[in-house]
Amino acid sequence: AQRVTQPEKLLSVFKGAPVELKCNYSYSGSPELFWYVQYSRQRLQLLLRHISRESIKGFTADLNKGETSFHLKKPFAQEEDSAMYYCALSARVYSGAGSYQLTFGKGTKLSVIP
Amino acid sequence: DSGVTQTPKHLITATGQRVTLRCSPRSGDLSVYWYQQSLDQGLQFLIQYYNGEERAKGNILERFSAQQFPDLHSELNLSSLELGDSALYFCASSVAVNTGELFFGEGSRLTVL
């Protein structure tokens, strides 16, 4: 079964400092990974996905299959980056008619100190 | 607002009772997912429907059931409630089944006393 691990429950950084939110996964197949974010009083929303290799709001994430990691990085943290971040893995499931299941890590709360 | 809508936002009930949570997906989305979020467990996948058909089951208890109706809205039924069922229940929707891009509702907070 697939698993997503985010080792840090809370990460505090100063404004302007680099940020790295860690995510490790275990999955026997070819993984598809995502980062979701939940800002205060807002709903959970997709931040980025590894397939598109994009940078959103200055964040990037590289899939490292050798280390089974998908860490989220930003060179200079901003106060508005303070939020809850969830790493997620999409994996094929064969229960029922079959589909893809998105498995989430427990999340890391990022706090950017002014 | 054409996003995912969930009702009720808050619900307080007693042990042993039964509740129904409702979800309307985003316009055009055929797939609906239910997740449970508790403090210690994080977001746990419960069940997924696509165009009225159950497609995947996660850690959903036998006391819980769900369905998706012809108009694509979905209901999650929780029965014989226990204190441990207190959690935030999220609904999400997507266009297809083979995507990790989900659109979430604001959640229904259930408190069992």
Side-chain angles (χ1 to χ4, degrees):
Chain A
Q2 63 273 17
R3 174 178 276 190
V4 177
T5 303
Q6 294 180 250
E8 303 138 328
K9 277 189 176 178
L10 174 64
L11 181 65
S12 296
V13 301
F14 284 100
K15 179 181 172 182
V19 175
E20 183 178 50
L21 298 165
K22 290 184 168 45
C23 172
N24 289 91
Y25 67 91
S26 65
Y27 178 54
S28 56
S30 183
E32 190 174 349
L33 286 144
F34 304 80
W35 276 98
Y36 277 76
V37 62
Q38 187 171 28
Y39 300 103
S40 179
R41 297 191 187 87
Q42 294 187 28
R43 56 188 74 193
L44 192 60
Q45 59 186 286
L46 178 66
L47 179 62
L48 54 79
R49 71 204 85 185
H50 91 268
I51 282 180
S52 54
R53 303 181 68 82
E54 57 201 344
S55 172
I56 302 291
K57 298 185 178 183
F59 284 98
T60 58
D62 290 319
L63 177 60
N64 186 323
K65 290 187 179 180
E67 296 184 357
T68 59
S69 69
F70 187 56
H71 302 329
L72 183 68
K73 298 177 184 179
K74 185 170 182 176
F76 308 103
Q78 302 298 316
E79 288 178 66
E80 55 264 31
D81 296 329
S82 294
M84 196 73 185
Y85 291 81
Y86 295 90
C87 183
L89 181 151
S90 181
R92 188 87 164 88
V93 292
Y94 297 93
S95 64
S99 181
Y100 285 78
Q101 177 177 321
L102 195 63
T103 298
F104 286 86
K106 292 191 177 182
T108 298
K109 183 174 182 179
L110 175 65
S111 177
V112 180
I113 305 163
Chain B
D1 181 5
S2 60
V4 178
T5 57
Q6 290 186 245
T7 57
K9 283 189 170 30
H10 302 276
L11 190 54
I12 300 174
T13 189
T15 54
Q17 294 299 305
R18 181 178 189 275
V19 299
T20 297
L21 309 180
R22 194 179 192 278
C23 168
S24 292
R26 267 188 346 151
S27 177
D29 285 356
L30 299 179
S31 196
V32 168
Y33 310 75
W34 286 98
Y35 282 84
Q36 179 192 54
Q37 185 181 44
S38 54
L39 279 174
D40 55 343
Q41 292 296 323
L43 273 162
Q44 297 286 310
F45 170 70
L46 295 178
I47 198 164
Q48 181 204 5
Y49 283 84
Y50 178 78
N51 205 20
E53 179 188 6
E54 181 185 305
R55 293 305 294 261
K57 245 181 183 179
N59 301 320
I60 187 166
L61 300 171
E62 285 193 12
R63 299 183 285 109
F64 296 1
S65 64
Q67 60 184 123
Q68 186 180 27
F69 294 87
D71 67 352
L72 301 178
H73 91 272
S74 177
E75 292 180 359
L76 178 66
N77 300 297
L78 316 174
S79 62
S80 302
L81 285 168
E82 301 175 359
L83 296 178
D85 297 328
S86 295
L88 198 51
Y89 290 84
F90 284 106
C91 173
S93 71
S94 67
V95 171
V97 293
N98 58 344
T99 177
E101 183 174 358
L102 307 189
F103 295 86
F104 281 80
E106 294 179 312
S108 292
R109 183 171 293 283
L110 173 66
T111 302
V112 182
L113 300 176

